[in-house]
Amino acid sequence: MSRNRIVAAVAAAAAAAGLAFVLPSVTAEAAADCAAPWASATVYTGGKTASYNGKNWQAKWWTQGETPGGAQVWTDQGACGGGTPPTTTTTRPTTTTPPTTTLPPGGCNYAAWVQGKNYVTGDIVKFTDGKFYIAEHDNPGYSPVVSTWYWDPYTCGDTPPTSTTSTPPTSIPNTGFVVSEAQFNQMFPSRNAFYTYKGLTDALAAYPGFANTGTDTVKRQEAAAFLANVNHETGGLVYIKEINEANYPHYCDATQSYGCPAGQSAYYGRGPIQLSWNFNYKAAGDALGIDLLRNPFLVEQDPAVAWKTALWYWNTQKGPGTMTPHDAMVNSRGFGETIRSINGALECNGGNPAQVQSRINAYQKFTQVLGTTPGNNLSC
């Protein structure tokens, strides 16, 4: 609402209540409060804020050690600190009857959502879009319209909703992807906030045939197979990069003509399928039009890039198998062949049956979420 409309509304309300209204005297524009100072050792995920050089900055995605103002990961939120709040002068009412306060429709007077504030399950907030949301899970101030696993829309005045099991859709969702955001959140209830649904759907344009070839059943089976293997590689989309840092120097094949320009220890496993080795970063970067050989860190900084590297492997690489995982699913070779293409040398043919079964269990669960059958040839 414009300032003139706000002033007019307040003046009308004051007149109705028998008040004398005087326009506010503004001495200076108020500046925002400063967020906690930026620290190079601190990990910031998408939406987190920090102050630096007299400004607030908001992280677009996961970042650590990238200085606000000098890295594209940060969005300038404007100056902070300083400034003098506006002063307002009003006269006291001449009547002994106090003015009444009208609550929003439905009797709601819930506090406004605050970014970075800790919320617990059951908390209700009013978001910046004017709508109300209820915390479905504890969270450190995630946005209700982005982190939909943590928040549900709330009709003001209603009793908090109870969880229900939804019926799988009978047609492809409007996004064009066979997995809805709600289904994605159901598959990965403890996922790292870095692995966003939007990052995945943005990455799909790089490989339009993925989960979009054949019948609806085949499309859903391929999506479930991809996400089941991703689930296994990342511990349920929890880990962004390889845990064992002692392995990091091993992934540089110096015999390659281009070497390891990002450093001996820069090509460790990252992303949904844990892309590793300098030659894989180069091949994936060349295919995607991104210089991942010189900047492999993009895979742990940009969700869409991370998902694209996983889709690159899925759609173009045979690995230790005989076909790409994409070809295995669309040509009815079964989920077992996708395992062989990803880690067959270590797991298949009796190599590690427990790991194979873990992947199969996730695949069966995800096909059930998507309302389809797993098909044949599940093991390798």
Side-chain angles (χ1 to χ4, degrees):
M1 184 181 292
S2 70
R3 181 177 182 274
N4 289 340
R5 290 178 64 191
I6 293 173
V7 170
V10 174
L19 303 176
F21 176 75
V22 180
L23 284 175
S25 172
V26 179
T27 58
E29 289 294 327
D33 292 335
C34 284
W38 173 80
S40 61
T42 300
V43 172
Y44 298 92
T45 54
K48 293 295 184 182
T49 58
S51 61
Y52 184 77
N53 282 350
K55 290 185 176 182
N56 280 333
W57 302 84
Q58 185 177 64
K60 299 177 184 177
W61 50 76
W62 189 100
T63 179
Q64 182 180 24
E66 295 181 282
T67 306
Q72 295 180 348
V73 66
W74 293 99
T75 299
D76 187 346
Q77 299 290 296
C80 68
T84 304
T87 59
T88 304
T89 305
T90 60
T91 61
R92 295 184 177 276
T94 57
T95 176
T96 57
T97 304
T100 59
T101 301
T102 303
L103 296 176
C108 297
N109 58 349
Y110 297 110
W113 168 81
V114 178
Q115 181 177 311
K117 177 181 177 180
N118 286 322
Y119 291 99
V120 298
T121 302
D123 282 348
I124 300 171
V125 298
K126 184 177 182 181
F127 192 53
T128 55
D129 59 4
K131 298 178 181 179
F132 294 90
Y133 296 85
I134 184 169
E136 187 179 2
H137 299 90
D138 296 355
N139 69 90
Y142 293 142
S143 167
V145 298
V146 175
S147 301
T148 54
W149 186 73
Y150 293 97
W151 296 95
D152 273 340
Y154 179 69
T155 301
C156 202
D158 281 356
T159 301
T162 56
S163 297
T164 57
T165 302
S166 58
T167 303
T170 56
S171 59
I172 304 302
N174 292 334
T175 61
F177 186 38
V178 294
V179 182
S180 71
E181 185 168 8
Q183 290 168 332
F184 179 75
N185 291 334
Q186 184 180 350
M187 292 172 178
F188 303 103
S190 301
R191 65 182 172 84
N192 190 305
F194 171 80
Y195 289 115
T196 62
Y197 178 77
K198 185 178 186 302
L200 173 56
T201 55
D202 285 349
L204 296 178
Y207 294 96
F210 167 74
N212 197 30
T213 303
T215 65
D216 283 359
T217 295
V218 172
K219 294 174 184 177
R220 290 193 172 101
Q221 286 175 342
E222 183 180 10
F226 171 75
L227 293 173
N229 280 298
V230 162
N231 174 79
H232 185 85
E233 296 293 323
T234 61
L237 285 184
V238 171
Y239 299 109
I240 300 171
K241 56 186 181 180
E242 188 173 345
I243 299 173
N244 188 357
E245 297 185 6
N247 284 340
Y248 287 9
H250 300 159
Y251 297 116
C252 173
D253 181 0
T255 66
Q256 301 293 331
S257 60
Y258 41 78
C260 300
Q264 174 77 25
S265 302
Y267 301 98
Y268 49 85
R270 297 180 179 89
I273 293 190
Q274 295 289 283
L275 184 72
S276 57
W277 289 98
N278 54 331
F279 47 81
N280 280 329
Y281 276 92
K282 184 180 189 308
D286 289 349
L288 298 170
I290 308 169
D291 191 358
L292 295 181
L293 180 66
R294 288 175 173 77
N295 191 2
F297 303 97
L298 280 175
V299 182
E300 64 186 80
Q301 295 169 348
D302 187 327
V305 172
W307 283 113
K308 284 179 182 179
T309 63
L311 290 172
W312 164 79
Y313 190 94
W314 183 268
N315 288 276
T316 69
Q317 302 300 298
K318 298 178 182 179
T322 60
M323 64 189 73
T324 68
H326 171 73
D327 287 341
M329 294 308 296
V330 301
N331 292 318
S332 301
R333 295 298 296 273
F335 178 71
E337 285 302 311
T338 71
I339 303 174
R340 191 180 302 279
S341 298
I342 292 173
N343 215 19
L346 296 176
E347 296 181 16
C348 293
N349 301 322
N352 195 329
Q355 296 295 306
V356 171
Q357 191 59 50
S358 173
R359 295 179 192 263
I360 294 172
N361 291 346
Y363 175 61
Q364 291 174 322
K365 175 183 175 182
F366 290 174
T367 53
Q368 185 176 18
V369 170
L370 296 180
T372 191
T373 57
N376 300 318
N377 304 320
L378 301 187
S379 184
C380 62

